[in-house]
Amino acid sequence: MDHLTPRYTQLIGSGMATFSKDDDDLNVRRLIIGMTLSFTLFVYMLESYLSYRQRCTYKLTSFPKELELAVGNIDAEEEERRGKRDTGGGGTEVNSEKKLGDEVYAKKGEEEEENNTATSTTDTLDRSSPLLPQLRSKFLNAQSYGLDRVNFSLISSSYSTIEGITFVLLGYMPYVWDMSCRVGKMRGLGYDERTDEIKISLIFMLLTTILGMITGLPFELYSTFRIEKRHGFNKTTIGLFITDKVKGLLLGAFLGGPFVALLLKIIIWGGERFYIYVWGFTFVFSLFMMTLYPVVIMPMFNTYEALPPGELKDRIYALADKLHFPLTKLFVMDGSKRSSHSNAFMFGFFKNKRIVLFDTLLKQVHDDEILAILGHELGHWKMGHTVTNFVISQLYTGAAFYAFSLCYNSHELYRAFGFDDDTRTVPTIIALLLFFGTVWEPIDKVISYGMTVHSRKCEFEADEFSSRLGMGRTLRSGLCKIHLENLGAMCPDPWYSAYHYSHPPLVERLSAMMRLDEEEKKTL
């Protein structure tokens, strides 16, 4: 316990004697530091344990039986549909699906798994062939990709935890603040800590951002140019990587700087009920960013072109009209410039909605499957998930700043982390960072897990929405193809996925949609 005090504090930095062992609140400070570090270690150990569980699943070499059955049924449905089309309505009976899935495609998949375990991760998906053999052939590649990623996460999280604990014990935060004050006074700038707190706070944020970027850069480089490249996903060049970093820093300066300055100004000006004004400010800023980000910021990093005229475009607009979705523009984004991963999303307010398709998605799935995937996304809108999530985020922000207002004058917290000079005012930015990094952190972890559970529920509901539009079969096949192309986890650990995955595992989504189909068949 004697070492649970920062090596650098404001009193030590000013040359004044630090507190002695007889200091009345020394034990309180050590308790605060001890509780903070204990929670940090608890979270690290919990998440490391879950990662090790996931790591074990990535070492499995047998294709998961539950996924085999689910995807085999998808192939059987497609085979039956083709049979009916070729014979004018006759063909395979529904009851033969399991036989086709378990015998024909499983046997073919076993042969391909034996002969193609070294299949390249860059192999092109055959969109018209059965899915199960292709998933089987990519299974070991997906396992290898997942194993590399989870190993990397274990190393990076270990470093982050060690860095965080070291910074606390060394007194990193008071040291950088004092350095910011010295930088502010250089060259006759004349920044005073009391009268120019916001300016010094911006210098402090700049210094910490630069340091964070430097320490995190090796991990970003390794992830992008080693792991993603090894498994055939990375398309980013060094030049593009550097350009993105420079753009990110400039955007942080031009948008993040004014945001922080206004936030601190409102807290300082707002009095005891500053949290009300802060909530109003963050609400307006959220709306501003939701409008600005897709229209101004995203085009700075990617090219957006209108989807060319054709059957797909007509069918998407027809689907939007059917659901009364006010679609005004339909874009294709050059996601392949950085990665071969695929996605689709929508944005916009009120009567001005837009949909964006990754160019990689157009190459990976059929038009029918794109319609089913968009049916899922539109399901989120139709069922109010987007609005609900926005409301929840605003309530979260309001609750967080209200809690911060209750702890704003908790000087014991600030002294514990090295801001122990009572002749100096504790900077508002420091109060914010310490509160959200200590007091609020356990609450945030619980709320984050609750949001993960909520997100998974919404995904199931959106899947059901698309299925009830008559697109369940194509949604299932589309999800399988995307999962295959992205080398997604095919047998995730249930504890790991429950804690980390905002989307349910593939096999759970397929099984849920298949149960829905069975229920609908019984009602006919």
Side-chain angles (χ1 to χ4, degrees):
M1 289 292 290
D2 291 341
H3 300 290
L4 292 181
T5 52
R7 293 290 300 274
Y8 180 95
T9 70
Q10 287 185 327
L11 287 178
I12 293 175
S14 63
M16 301 175 62
T18 186
F19 39 78
S20 67
K21 291 185 179 181
D22 296 329
D23 193 342
D24 291 339
D25 63 352
L26 178 57
N27 289 332
V28 175
R29 303 183 198 183
R30 288 173 174 168
L31 178 62
I32 293 173
I33 294 287
M35 292 177 64
T36 300
L37 298 185
S38 296
F39 181 75
T40 300
L41 288 172
F42 169 76
V43 172
Y44 167 73
M45 293 173 64
L46 171 63
E47 295 182 349
S48 296
Y49 171 69
L50 295 176
S51 294
Y52 275 113
R53 287 179 59 96
Q54 180 75 349
R55 189 171 183 268
C56 291
T57 67
Y58 282 134
K59 291 184 176 182
L60 299 176
T61 57
S62 299
F63 194 81
K65 295 296 183 182
E66 189 176 0
L67 183 61
E68 179 179 340
L69 177 61
V71 180
N73 284 334
I74 293 174
D75 286 342
E77 288 178 346
E78 177 63 18
E79 184 73 12
E80 180 188 24
R81 187 182 68 85
R82 290 179 179 176
K84 287 182 177 180
R85 182 181 60 193
D86 294 340
T87 60
T92 309
E93 295 295 331
V94 174
N95 291 335
S96 66
E97 290 179 359
K98 189 177 187 303
K99 180 178 179 180
L100 282 169
D102 290 348
E103 296 180 6
V104 179
Y105 298 115
K107 182 178 180 180
K108 184 177 179 181
E110 288 169 1
E111 294 173 354
E112 293 195 12
E113 184 176 4
E114 292 175 359
N115 298 326
N116 300 302
T117 53
T119 301
S120 170
T121 56
T122 58
D123 286 349
T124 303
L125 169 71
D126 187 345
R127 298 187 298 178
S128 300
S129 296
L131 291 168
L132 184 55
Q134 297 189 74
L135 279 171
R136 279 182 168 278
S137 69
K138 287 290 188 76
F139 176 66
L140 294 183
N141 293 325
Q143 293 290 85
S144 175
Y145 177 54
L147 186 61
D148 282 350
R149 290 189 58 177
V150 77
N151 285 337
F152 175 77
S153 73
L154 283 167
I155 295 172
S156 60
S157 64
S158 297
Y159 172 79
S160 298
T161 302
I162 293 172
E163 180 188 75
I165 292 174
T166 302
F167 280 1
V168 168
L169 296 179
L170 290 179
Y172 165 80
M173 195 172 286
Y175 177 79
V176 177
W177 177 261
D178 287 350
M179 179 187 294
S180 302
C181 293
R182 291 193 293 270
V183 170
K185 294 176 182 178
M186 290 172 57
R187 299 180 182 180
L189 294 178
Y191 289 168
D192 181 79
E193 186 177 9
R194 291 181 180 274
T195 59
D196 295 301
E197 177 187 331
I198 294 178
K199 295 179 181 178
I200 298 176
S201 296
L202 294 177
I203 297 173
F204 173 83
M205 292 300 296
L206 176 63
L207 294 177
T208 55
T209 299
I210 292 174
L211 180 61
M213 184 186 69
I214 293 173
T215 57
L217 190 60
F219 294 98
E220 289 188 60
L221 289 171
Y222 186 86
S223 176
T224 302
F225 294 101
R226 182 65 175 176
I227 296 178
E228 295 296 307
K229 183 177 181 180
R230 177 191 300 165
H231 295 278
F233 291 120
N234 180 54
K235 307 297 181 184
T236 304
T237 63
I238 290 291
L240 183 59
F241 181 86
I242 294 174
T243 301
D244 285 347
K245 279 293 177 185
V246 172
K247 289 180 180 179
L249 284 174
L250 292 176
L251 284 172
F254 285 108
L255 292 176
F259 171 78
V260 171
L262 285 171
L263 177 66
L264 297 178
K265 186 71 174 179
I266 292 170
I267 294 175
I268 295 170
W269 165 82
E272 293 183 357
R273 297 186 177 181
F274 69 83
Y275 56 89
I276 298 177
Y277 307 112
V278 168
W279 179 84
F281 168 66
T282 56
F283 175 77
V284 173
F285 187 79
S286 297
L287 295 178
F288 171 72
M289 287 303 298
M290 289 173 66
T291 304
L292 183 71
Y293 185 77
V295 176
V296 178
I297 298 177
M298 289 175 62
M300 296 174 63
F301 295 88
N302 290 94
T303 300
Y304 292 80
E305 296 180 349
L307 182 68
E311 183 181 358
L312 176 60
K313 185 173 184 178
D314 294 339
R315 293 178 67 187
I316 292 175
Y317 272 99
L319 176 63
D321 290 340
K322 178 180 178 180
L323 299 176
H324 306 292
F325 180 76
L327 178 61
T328 56
K329 293 184 180 180
L330 186 57
F331 295 107
V332 177
M333 191 188 88
D334 61 338
S336 58
K337 182 168 68 173
R338 291 178 176 81
S339 173
S340 59
H341 291 298
S342 58
N343 199 1
F345 61 93
M346 58 186 183
F347 63 92
F349 290 105
F350 307 114
K351 300 297 182 180
N352 186 27
K353 302 287 188 180
R354 306 173 188 186
I355 291 177
V356 177
L357 305 174
F358 280 40
D359 57 354
T360 48
L361 181 66
L362 297 176
K363 298 175 183 178
Q364 293 172 1
V365 299
H366 290 299
D367 288 359
D368 288 346
E369 293 159 339
I370 290 177
L371 264 293
I373 292 168
L374 290 180
H376 168 96
E377 296 300 328
L378 293 174
H380 285 303
W381 168 79
K382 193 72 173 180
M383 304 178 78
H385 295 162
T386 306
V387 174
T388 300
N389 289 333
F390 181 74
V391 171
I392 291 174
S393 69
Q394 295 305 310
L395 292 175
Y396 171 88
T397 301
F401 277 102
Y402 173 71
F404 171 63
S405 71
L406 301 179
C407 302
Y408 190 23
N409 296 316
S410 178
H411 296 287
E412 292 82 3
L413 174 65
Y414 312 134
R415 292 192 191 102
F417 287 90
F419 293 88
D420 54 354
D421 189 347
D422 292 334
T423 64
R424 300 169 65 180
T425 303
V426 176
T428 302
I429 188 67
I430 297 300
L432 276 169
L433 294 175
L434 288 179
F435 169 78
F436 283 103
T438 57
V439 178
W440 190 253
E441 185 68 15
I443 301 173
D444 180 70
K445 286 293 181 183
V446 174
I447 294 176
S448 295
Y449 176 72
M451 288 303 298
T452 299
V453 174
H454 172 70
S455 174
R456 291 161 69 103
K457 177 177 176 292
C458 291
E459 293 302 321
F460 280 125
E461 291 176 351
D463 284 345
E464 180 178 347
F465 182 87
S466 184
S467 296
R468 293 192 183 281
L469 290 175
M471 300 187 290
R473 178 184 60 80
T474 49
L475 177 60
R476 292 196 295 273
S477 62
L479 290 176
C480 286
K481 291 176 182 178
I482 293 174
H483 207 76
L484 192 155
E485 284 290 338
N486 292 332
L487 294 183
M490 299 189 195
C491 51
D493 176 76
W495 292 12
Y496 181 91
S497 62
Y499 183 84
H500 285 289
Y501 287 8
S502 61
H503 287 54
L506 175 64
V507 67
E508 293 184 20
R509 298 177 69 178
L510 298 179
S511 299
M513 284 187 278
M514 288 168 61
R515 287 194 298 269
L516 180 64
D517 283 352
E518 290 298 322
E519 291 174 2
E520 290 183 343
K521 289 177 183 178
K522 292 178 181 179
T523 60
L524 295 178

